[in-house]
Amino acid sequence: MSLALQTFSTVKDASAALQAAGARYLGGGTLVVRAANEGDVSLSSLVRVTDPSLSRIAVSGGKARLGASVTMAAVARHPELNALSPAARAVGGPAIRNMATVGGNLFAPAPYGDFTVALLALDAIVVTEDGEMPIETFLTGRNASRAVVTAVAFPLPAAESFRFRKVSRVKPKGVSVLSIAALLQRTSDGVVTSARIAFGCMADRPMRAKAAEKALLGCKLTSKEIAPALAAAGAGTSPITDPIASAWYRAEVLPVHLGRLLVG
Ligand SMILES: Cc1cc2nc3c(=O)[nH]c(=O)nc-3n(C[C@H](O)[C@H](O)[C@H](O)COP(=O)(O)OP(=O)(O)OC[C@H]3O[C@@H](n4cnc5c(N)ncnc54)[C@H](O)[C@@H]3O)c2cc1C
């Protein structure tokens, strides 16, 4: 079956083309081209946009805006995105990171989507031609989305407030057993005043750890005080099973790695 490639200079024209049956947006292509090569017959055309604004990184006033076509490699080497560099570097190896985009990562099914786990903890806004929405809302409805994502925007985390951990069996570029990101605000004596935690591989897409977040409030990050948060970590999760790990294994090791992220 033939596969057409349609290139547009504007998001508006690409959006119109995407409404056709069998049309899929082409970001870096690391997943969608692989699907085509593997014989996904639901695909009949790939739609791409050349608008340079989609590849722009803007950092100012404590906020960052990443165009949807920005690659993981570009995030990892940007001097003002140090906090996000570990999450960008967690995606594949160098060849994948040179192609894998921020926009594509938002759609990547578990065990992928490591960078999106970080964006979810940062409470990013997802921008499409139709408007903006919180990343959590976007993730809930992403399977039905036909819109072109143009950018993500988020407040840059204060130093020491943002943590990211990817757990994999193969180093340095194995697929995730799980990934965790946490944005923690603390008083000067270390008491947690707000916590936003996201998990990857604990559902079919990145999810918030709301029970653990709640249990952390008022705690110091010591093994003793975080114990209730670790006990609550699995609430609402539905880990995936794949060749890397079973759902059971993922559920067992989640509190261990959350504890290391919080105390370490
Ligand atoms: C060998 C290998 C290793 C990998 N390792 C990891 C890993 O460790 N961690 C990880 O998170 N991922 C990993 N991935 C998955 C993937 O590379 C990344 O998730 C990447 O960020 C996907 O982005 P992309 O631009 O390549 O997406 P594409 O393949 O271009 O697109 C993926 C999906 O998103 C849609 N899409 C893309 N951009 C947009 C947009 N702007 N608007 C609307 N829809 C859009 C496409 O239509 C498609 O459905 C790996 C993939 C491979 C092949």
Side-chain angles (χ1 to χ4, degrees):
M1 196 171 139
S2 68
L3 184 64
L5 176 62
Q6 298 176 275
T7 301
F8 298 94
S9 57
T10 68
V11 170
K12 191 170 179 227
D13 291 342
S15 293
L18 266 185
Q19 306 315 310
R24 291 268 291 282
Y25 190 83
L26 175 67
T30 58
L31 291 176
V32 77
V33 171
R34 186 170 72 170
N37 288 340
E38 287 174 351
D40 182 345
V41 289
S42 70
L43 270 167
S44 56
S45 70
L46 293 174
V47 172
R48 64 188 277 266
V49 180
T50 54
D51 180 346
S53 71
L54 266 62
S55 300
R56 205 164 288 149
I57 296 177
V59 182
S60 76
K63 292 185 177 160
R65 185 182 171 100
L66 313 180
S69 301
V70 167
T71 63
M72 296 299 138
V75 174
R77 68 175 169 251
H78 196 285
E80 290 171 283
L81 296 175
N82 288 339
L84 272 178
S85 179
R89 287 183 199 282
V91 174
I96 291 291
R97 287 197 289 277
N98 272 327
M99 297 175 71
T101 65
V102 170
N105 204 266
L106 288 170
F107 289 88
Y112 299 140
D114 296 313
F115 190 73
T116 302
V117 172
L119 292 177
L120 180 56
L122 291 172
D123 200 9
I125 295 292
V126 176
V127 186
T128 71
E129 215 210 353
D130 304 333
E132 303 183 351
M133 68 185 94
I135 187 167
E136 218 171 337
T137 312
F138 170 82
L139 288 170
T140 303
R142 76 175 180 185
N143 291 5
S145 173
R146 304 289 294 169
V148 178
V149 173
T150 54
V152 295
F154 51 89
L156 279 174
E160 302 295 317
S161 68
F162 184 68
R163 302 169 182 202
F164 176 85
R165 169 179 282 247
K166 170 173 170 173
V167 180
S168 62
R169 293 178 190 268
V170 179
K171 313 288 183 197
K173 56 176 188 172
V175 171
S176 273
V177 170
L178 58 89
S179 51
I180 312 175
L183 182 66
L184 304 167
Q185 311 299 345
R186 288 186 288 164
T187 60
S188 53
D189 57 350
V191 175
V192 175
T193 53
S194 97
R196 199 177 153 98
I197 302 174
F199 294 151
C201 296
M202 289 297 134
D204 66 344
R205 66 199 72 191
M207 62 169 287
R208 288 271 299 282
K210 292 187 180 174
E213 291 171 358
K214 200 171 160 196
L216 269 185
L217 297 180
C219 298
K220 288 190 176 178
L221 298 181
T222 63
S223 305
K224 189 175 168 203
E225 294 199 25
I226 66 168
L230 302 192
T237 62
S238 178
I240 60 161
T241 288
D242 65 5
I244 302 297
S246 66
W248 175 86
Y249 180 80
R250 285 184 159 106
E252 286 294 306
V253 299
L254 174 66
V256 176
H257 292 292
L258 179 59
R260 287 179 188 167
L261 180 91
L262 294 174
V263 176

